[in-house]
Amino acid sequence: MNQNNGMQKRMLIMTVVVFVFFIAYEFLVLKPQQEAKAAQAKQEQTTTQKATPEANMVATDVSGNPIDMSKSVEALSSKAIASSEIISVITTARNIIEIDNLGRIAQITLLEAKYKDEDGNKIKLFEANQLRPLEVRFEDKNVNEKAFKVAASSSAATLNASSSKQELIITQNLGETVLTKKFTIYPDGHYDLNVTSTNNKNFFITNGFRPNVLADMYAVHGLMAQLADGTLQTIEDGDLDKIENLNGIKFISNFDRYYATVIYNFEKTLAISLMPDAEANAQAFIHAKDNITFSGYAGPKNFKDLAALNKELTHVIDYGWFTFIAKPMFLLLQFLQSYIGNWGWTIVALTILIKLVLYPLSYKGMVSMQKLKDLAPKMKDIQAKYKDDKQKQSMHMMELYKKHGANPMGGCLPLILQIPVFFAIYRVLLNSIELKGAEWIWWVHDLAEMDPYFVLPILMGASMFLQQKITPNTMQDEMQKKIFQMLPVIFTFFFLWFPAGLTLYWFVNNVFTISQQYYINKIFERKRAEKQ
């Protein structure tokens, strides 16, 4: 096999691995892997609890001083306890917050029109039997048992905070101990909270399990914590196999693809113990001693809403490994949308802008492929002439490349350099709830959902096929050619279920790549005609 053919093969393999198998990984590998990890973690957790129920239970407070948690093992490892009795309903401009008779947030219903499920109903963040936000668990076993039997009382059965902040007090009288939660609820749906217990009874409070509205394989979902130095620690669902203690925490967030439950304090940091549930998902318990103050938010991971609460809360939006590129790209997308007004056309504009910035790289790669195509007959002659002497074959190939200014890696390098940009825009369009309910044109009513008529995936596949047809290809191996020809079909299949916004980006990207390739092909055709 000659050098160019080998280079083409490596380029093909790279393309398939990076794109096709990356997408296939999301569908075919990730979920089974997560289930296997969860099963293993569950088994290990059960074994550990039977053997040493107090293992790894040493935690520390915000100052780094040890806290004896040995008395709290049973309390913290209790299963989620459901309650159907609601004692207070708070209505804000953006949501309805229901408080149950254990003083927890039982449910949050989103009121904004765009937050609806597949059946057109208003989105509710929590499932029936999950760990509830603001659930308190006492270190003292006896007090803890009472806390899950004695009903709390509320200062108001209903509260309207849609236009101004309101206060609510939840009281739970446990005999020798009284637990009090003092809320200040704001029209935007967030709240401030002070929780106290009398008689120096230490307790822990949780932000609950994550919202379970959309936890698919496309995006990361689990728990995220921001440390005092600004670094982020993320634990995906199914990945926590033992108790972990974190100090100096600014915020803790349990999240799915679009929604999060967040507790934060940027003035005085929090000390937290993370405990795995039966499926190795992370549950956060905040060390409160007998008094704690913080703020909370549960709802969409909308950039502007989070920034309005605190700029650091925008870190709740996770873009994965390419955050350093993805976050600026999202800010650019948001900036363009403020002028264009339509998220679909904003994606088109962003795609064109990216193509213009990367045009020098694309141009070099396309020119290099054209030169290699022109040199293919001479390369074939060298291959035949020195078929028994690979060293001479390689030497003459290099001389040929040098003489004609061709670079065998010229077609690969531009693609490699563009991969981080692709993954960044992939994550931006995948994780941006701003696209939720955003219309583009008449048949696409939600850019965050799949194209209902599969128009964009089919156009994307057709444009990819056309792109292949006009792109120079010197592959001589028939198997390579067949695999390469199958890529449009494979991509079309995967993109049938992808968000319309992401498919739109890829389609527009293909269209402009075709136009660039067509332009360069015409230039080389004129040059060939001039030489004849």
Side-chain angles (χ1 to χ4, degrees):
M1 183 179 290
N2 62 44
Q3 261 194 351
N4 181 64
N5 198 30
M7 197 62 64
Q8 290 288 343
K9 183 178 180 180
R10 286 192 290 273
M11 182 179 175
L12 172 64
I13 293 173
M14 180 189 65
T15 303
V16 173
V17 170
V18 171
F19 291 104
V20 177
F21 291 116
F22 170 77
I23 297 170
Y25 170 81
E26 300 276 1
F27 282 91
L28 307 175
V29 178
L30 185 58
K31 187 175 181 179
Q33 198 174 67
Q34 288 177 337
E35 291 175 349
K37 283 184 179 179
Q40 182 180 358
K42 183 177 179 181
Q43 184 178 0
E44 290 176 356
Q45 181 188 1
T46 303
T47 303
T48 302
Q49 286 178 345
K50 288 181 179 179
T52 55
E54 298 179 9
N56 299 316
M57 289 304 298
V58 178
T60 56
D61 62 20
V62 292
S63 302
N65 301 315
I67 296 176
D68 181 10
M69 290 180 61
S70 59
K71 297 179 181 178
S72 64
V73 176
E74 186 173 341
L76 289 187
S77 60
S78 300
K79 294 181 179 180
I81 299 174
S83 175
S84 59
E85 185 178 342
I86 303 301
I87 62 172
S88 188
V89 178
I90 306 109
T91 302
T92 73
R94 294 178 177 172
N95 59 27
I96 296 174
I97 304 171
E98 300 175 45
I99 308 294
D100 68 16
N101 65 345
L102 295 180
R104 311 171 303 183
I105 295 178
Q107 189 58 270
I108 291 182
T109 305
L110 304 183
L111 295 179
E112 293 179 80
K114 67 178 180 178
Y115 300 124
K116 292 183 178 179
D117 60 22
E118 295 177 353
D119 299 321
N121 300 317
K122 294 175 181 177
I123 284 177
K124 297 180 183 296
L125 296 184
F126 307 122
E127 291 187 343
N129 295 314
Q130 69 179 69
L131 181 67
R132 294 297 189 215
L134 308 186
E135 180 170 298
V136 168
R137 298 188 182 181
F138 284 89
E139 184 178 273
D140 187 310
K141 177 181 177 182
N142 294 325
V143 177
N144 193 67
E145 288 180 354
K146 289 182 181 179
F148 284 96
K149 294 177 182 177
V150 177
S153 62
S154 171
S155 62
T158 59
L159 210 60
N160 190 335
S162 59
S163 58
S164 62
K165 68 178 182 180
Q166 299 291 327
E167 293 186 354
L168 179 73
I169 298 176
I170 304 294
T171 306
Q172 194 173 22
N173 193 328
L174 305 174
E176 62 178 10
T177 300
V178 177
L179 182 71
T180 305
K181 296 176 180 177
K182 295 181 179 180
F183 287 88
T184 301
I185 301 105
Y186 296 85
D188 61 7
H190 92 280
Y191 59 87
D192 297 331
L193 179 64
N194 173 252
V195 188
T196 59
S197 67
T198 60
N199 219 14
N200 297 319
K201 289 298 181 181
N202 294 341
F203 64 88
F204 309 88
I205 189 166
T206 178
N207 67 322
F209 187 62
R210 62 167 170 75
N212 199 21
V213 181
L214 187 59
D216 54 25
M217 291 181 288
Y218 296 132
V220 175
H221 42 85
L223 177 144
M224 177 191 292
Q226 184 184 42
L227 281 63
D229 61 3
T231 57
L232 299 171
Q233 181 170 339
T234 301
I235 301 175
E236 296 185 35
D237 284 350
D239 283 354
L240 187 67
D241 57 2
K242 62 180 180 180
I243 294 170
E244 292 188 15
N245 300 309
L246 302 177
N247 294 300
I249 301 301
K250 291 183 177 182
F251 74 68
I252 189 79
S253 168
N254 282 67
F255 62 94
D256 68 2
R257 180 172 167 187
Y258 287 142
Y259 308 92
T261 304
V262 189
I263 283 177
Y264 59 97
N265 191 330
F266 294 103
E267 295 179 0
K268 184 179 180 181
T269 57
L270 308 169
I272 294 169
S273 287
L274 304 180
M275 298 189 66
D277 64 10
E279 297 178 349
N281 301 319
Q283 302 177 112
F285 291 90
I286 302 167
H287 298 259
K289 289 194 173 179
D290 62 354
N291 188 348
I292 191 169
T293 299
F294 54 77
S295 297
Y297 168 82
K301 293 187 289 182
N302 183 293
F303 188 92
K304 288 183 178 179
D305 292 345
L306 293 170
L309 298 177
N310 190 293
K311 289 184 178 180
E312 291 191 70
L313 283 179
T314 58
H315 296 306
V316 166
I317 306 171
D318 180 62
Y319 296 114
W321 293 348
F322 293 97
T323 296
F324 68 100
I325 302 176
K327 193 166 185 178
M329 193 171 291
F330 171 77
L331 294 175
L332 175 60
L333 187 72
Q334 187 172 247
F335 173 77
L336 293 173
Q337 196 275 339
S338 67
Y339 286 94
I340 297 172
N342 179 287
W343 281 104
W345 293 117
T346 298
I347 291 171
V348 173
L350 179 67
T351 309
I352 295 171
L353 190 59
I354 291 172
K355 292 299 290 183
L356 291 175
V357 171
L358 296 178
Y359 179 73
L361 282 176
S362 302
Y363 179 82
K364 288 182 179 180
M366 291 175 179
V367 167
S368 180
M369 292 300 293
Q370 282 285 1
K371 288 181 178 180
L372 291 174
K373 179 183 178 182
D374 291 344
L375 293 176
K378 295 181 180 180
M379 292 163 63
K380 192 171 182 179
D381 290 342
I382 292 174
Q383 181 187 25
K385 186 175 182 180
Y386 300 102
K387 63 180 180 180
D388 297 325
D389 192 334
K390 298 298 181 183
Q391 187 174 357
K392 283 188 177 182
Q393 183 184 115
S394 178
M395 181 182 70
H396 284 283
M397 286 286 190
M398 294 306 296
E399 288 177 355
L400 183 66
Y401 295 149
K402 186 176 180 180
K403 180 180 178 181
H404 294 274
N407 182 359
M409 285 294 291
C412 296
L413 284 175
L415 178 62
I416 293 172
L417 294 173
Q418 291 179 62
I419 286 173
V421 176
F422 164 75
F423 282 142
I425 194 69
Y426 170 83
R427 284 298 176 189
V428 165
L429 298 179
L430 206 58
N431 290 276
S432 297
I433 195 170
E434 285 78 1
L435 300 183
K436 180 71 176 173
E439 295 186 4
W440 176 41
I441 49 181
W442 67 270
W443 83 89
V444 178
H445 299 293
D446 191 338
L447 288 165
E449 300 291 336
M450 57 182 276
D451 184 331
Y453 301 107
F454 307 115
V455 175
L456 284 173
I458 292 171
L459 288 175
M460 187 279 300
S463 64
M464 195 172 181
F465 176 78
L466 180 57
Q467 182 182 333
Q468 281 188 359
K469 286 295 183 181
I470 70 170
T471 300
N473 190 341
T474 58
M475 290 182 189
Q476 297 180 17
D477 184 88
E478 289 301 319
M479 182 59 69
Q480 291 179 37
K481 287 182 180 180
K482 289 179 180 179
I483 294 174
F484 198 69
Q485 290 167 358
M486 284 296 295
L487 288 181
V489 177
I490 296 171
F491 271 66
T492 300
F493 173 78
F494 282 122
F495 272 77
L496 290 175
W497 294 276
F498 267 40
L502 184 62
T503 312
L504 174 61
Y505 161 76
W506 197 300
F507 167 63
V508 175
N509 181 76
N510 285 352
V511 169
F512 276 84
T513 301
I514 290 168
S515 64
Q516 290 174 357
Q517 186 68 62
Y518 180 80
Y519 171 71
I520 291 171
N521 289 355
K522 287 296 182 182
I523 291 175
F524 272 80
E525 285 177 8
R526 286 198 299 268
K527 288 182 178 180
R528 293 188 191 106
E530 290 172 0
K531 290 180 181 180
Q532 292 178 354

